[in-house]
Amino acid sequence: MLFRTMLIVLSIGGATRAADHSEPRTLFNFNAADAAKQWQSVNDGVMGGRSDGSFKISNNQTMQFFGTLSLENNGGFASVRTRPTKLNLKQGDEFVLRVRGDGREYNLNLYPSTAQIAFSYRASFRTKKDKWIEVRIPLEKFAATSFGQVVKTAKFDPDEIDKIGILLGDKQAGPFRLEVDWIKVDNGRGEMLNARCEGMYPHHLQGVCTDEKSIYWSFTTTLVKTDMNGKLIKKIPVANHHGDLCHRDGKLYVAVNLGKFNDPNGNADSWIYVYDAESLQEVARHETQEVFHGAGGIGHRNGHYFVVGGLPDGVNENYAYEYDDSFKFVKKHTVKSGHTHLGIQTATFAHDRWWFGCYGDPRILLVTDANFEMKGRYKLDCSLGIEGLSNGRLLVARGQCKKATGCIGIVQSALPDQEAGFKLLDASDEPK
């Protein structure tokens, strides 16, 4: 009854989206007469380099960071950073910057009060030449670095951060200029999402992904694009059987199996079909025949693609097949998950974890670290789609089919939970 009631509500309103009422908090602007006193330049001269980076407060009350990057004498960076101050950061925060740049890639650095020399938490952002843009960077996107190298053992504590900085180190010698209007921190979780895909489809939902402007739905034989409220933008018929999908650099990558899924002898015919996310026009196909029991799902991490899929009875582990950005096979990874019915159907890498949705009764969520070491196995259903969202959230799909009318798809936002796996943000409307 709850599910039927929800469908009535969604068919009238399209979606439920409730924004967090907290407003972004301004950390730094440049309106005060003494604004420059909060900042200082730090360039590669401290290590013998010859880069020249400076800053000033403009008449328009912005900070201008400018100079010339030099690669001589083992140099290669210029930066501006704040003096120590209490920032009151916490988990789930997201930095928001309004900047105008020169098209180059810069780093936003966070410095803990206990930092070693040349240590920071770093995240990059690319500017658009001579255009004001708003950059959003969740805390979870920052990686610990020392002398530019990733430090995997560092533990991030937001409360220890007492300085922030902007650094240019893109190994391109020459002049640069970046203008900063303000720096804020948004401590809301973003909007709660509870949307139904407009329309009915002949086969059930296999996966979802999003660029947080549109949602993309794979309904086995139909690829669908909607807005974030589920309103239909475009749909196209596709080959049977289209599975889970991911979005990367304006393209959709769909796991497609044209053979015998879950066949013990490996008679599957596995592919990745690629579509332009704007038009849904097919642009490429890549064979992934290494996926022995049939491609079912796909996720992306660090420039590589990871394909998961079917599993016959009697096999007590799952597999993730790694491909480079040209879909050249790299490696087969083992997930010591225990048996899951028909393998893994959906996959995403989000918030430093792999999330895998599996069929079964009950249906299963597997969570691993970046190296596929098991972190949790939960009786949760995300077998029809799971996707990472900003601000530490997840997007979880549900669906239902009726012979007389067809199949529907629904998505809801959720938050990771170490004990429960994840918790839906709008649990009162959870589909049944």
Side-chain angles (χ1 to χ4, degrees):
M1 177 62 72
L2 177 59
F3 183 68
R4 291 183 60 194
T5 303
M6 187 192 71
L7 291 186
I8 294 171
V9 172
L10 289 178
S11 65
I12 296 172
T16 300
R17 304 182 74 181
D20 192 294
H21 293 293
S22 59
E23 293 294 329
R25 174 169 57 93
T26 299
L27 290 181
F28 299 98
N29 58 31
F30 308 97
N31 303 332
D34 61 349
K37 293 182 179 180
Q38 295 178 297
W39 295 82
Q40 58 183 323
S41 297
V42 180
N43 301 317
D44 57 17
V46 299
M47 301 169 62
R50 297 179 180 176
S51 295
D52 175 24
S54 303
F55 77 95
K56 69 177 183 179
I57 307 303
S58 74
N59 293 333
N60 294 324
Q61 297 181 321
T62 64
M63 181 178 70
Q64 295 178 350
F65 172 43
F66 57 92
T68 302
L69 195 70
S70 172
L71 306 183
E72 294 183 22
N73 224 28
N74 295 317
F77 79 86
S79 74
V80 60
R81 67 181 66 170
T82 65
R83 302 182 189 279
T85 187
K86 187 65 175 176
L87 297 175
N88 297 313
L89 301 177
K90 63 179 184 295
Q91 294 291 347
D93 280 349
E94 181 178 40
F95 277 94
V96 190
L97 299 79
R98 187 170 186 262
V99 299
R100 179 168 61 183
D102 49 14
R104 298 176 72 160
E105 184 174 88
Y106 292 80
N107 293 316
L108 182 64
N109 286 358
L110 309 181
Y111 302 93
S113 57
T114 57
Q116 304 172 14
I117 295 175
F119 180 91
S120 68
Y121 295 93
R122 180 174 297 180
S124 63
F125 64 93
R126 182 168 291 280
T127 59
K128 293 185 178 180
K129 185 175 176 59
D130 299 328
K131 291 185 178 180
W132 283 105
I133 62 171
E134 190 173 291
V135 176
R136 304 185 72 92
I137 311 177
L139 282 187
E140 67 221 34
K141 297 296 185 182
F142 287 83
T145 63
S146 179
F147 292 97
Q149 301 299 312
V150 174
V151 181
K152 294 183 178 180
T153 57
K155 283 203 164 187
F156 182 60
D157 183 354
D159 192 53
E160 290 185 351
I161 303 301
D162 67 351
K163 297 180 290 294
I164 70 172
I166 297 172
L167 180 145
L168 177 67
D170 62 0
K171 298 182 180 180
Q172 298 180 34
F176 67 88
R177 178 175 291 272
L178 178 73
E179 190 171 4
V180 183
D181 190 7
W182 43 252
I183 300 174
K184 300 180 180 180
V185 62
D186 189 348
N187 52 23
R189 282 290 188 176
E191 292 180 310
M192 292 187 295
L193 203 66
N194 189 336
R196 175 183 174 180
C197 180
E198 182 181 350
M200 307 289 288
Y201 300 92
H203 300 95
H204 77 82
L205 186 63
Q206 299 279 354
V208 298
C209 67
T210 182
D211 56 7
E212 300 199 46
K213 297 177 182 177
S214 302
I215 304 173
Y216 305 91
W217 316 66
S218 176
F219 280 97
T220 308
T221 56
T222 311
L223 182 61
V224 181
K225 177 181 180 178
T226 71
D227 67 14
M228 295 301 290
N229 293 314
K231 181 176 175 58
L232 181 65
I233 297 174
K234 189 175 182 62
K235 62 180 179 179
I236 61 169
V238 292
N240 191 354
H241 159 301
H242 268 51
D244 187 30
L245 70 172
C246 70
H247 179 278
R248 176 70 177 170
D249 293 335
K251 295 183 176 63
L252 305 175
Y253 295 81
V254 189
V256 179
N257 174 55
L258 304 172
K260 295 182 179 179
F261 201 63
N262 308 306
D263 182 80
N265 298 317
N267 291 315
D269 189 8
S270 297
W271 294 76
I272 300 301
Y273 284 20
V274 187
Y275 298 85
D276 178 80
E278 181 66 26
S279 65
L280 300 190
Q281 180 179 354
E282 184 182 332
V283 295
R285 295 184 185 184
H286 303 285
E287 286 194 73
T288 56
Q289 302 302 343
E290 295 82 4
V291 188
F292 193 72
H293 301 298
I298 183 171
H300 181 275
R301 177 177 178 265
N302 287 351
H304 282 202
Y305 297 88
F306 296 80
V307 184
V308 295
L311 193 71
D313 291 337
V315 181
N316 291 317
E317 58 190 22
N318 276 284
Y319 309 103
Y321 299 82
E322 181 178 355
Y323 295 84
D324 68 13
D325 58 0
S326 299
F327 279 90
K328 180 180 179 180
F329 179 64
V330 176
K331 185 178 180 180
K332 175 183 175 181
H333 301 270
T334 298
V335 183
K336 296 186 180 302
S337 57
H339 183 74
T340 57
H341 182 58
L342 304 184
I344 296 174
Q345 305 300 317
T346 61
T348 193
F349 186 78
H351 318 311
D352 299 319
R353 293 287 187 268
W354 280 106
W355 306 78
F356 299 119
C358 309
Y359 291 154
D361 187 12
R363 299 188 179 191
I364 297 297
L365 162 67
L366 305 175
V367 181
T368 79
D369 66 13
N371 298 314
F372 303 101
E373 295 293 327
M374 286 293 299
K375 294 298 181 182
R377 178 176 170 133
Y378 308 91
K379 295 178 180 178
L380 284 173
D381 184 9
C382 57
S383 61
L384 300 187
I386 185 165
E387 170 78 326
L389 293 173
S390 61
N391 286 348
R393 301 168 299 158
L394 297 165
L395 192 67
V396 178
R398 299 285 192 272
Q400 187 184 65
C401 293
K402 294 183 178 180
K403 288 185 178 180
T405 55
C407 302
I408 65 167
I410 295 165
V411 290
Q412 293 177 264
S413 51
L415 287 179
D417 185 277
Q418 187 171 353
E419 299 298 325
F422 61 73
K423 291 184 177 180
L424 297 170
L425 284 175
D426 192 6
S428 63
D429 283 334
E430 181 179 357
K432 300 294 185 182

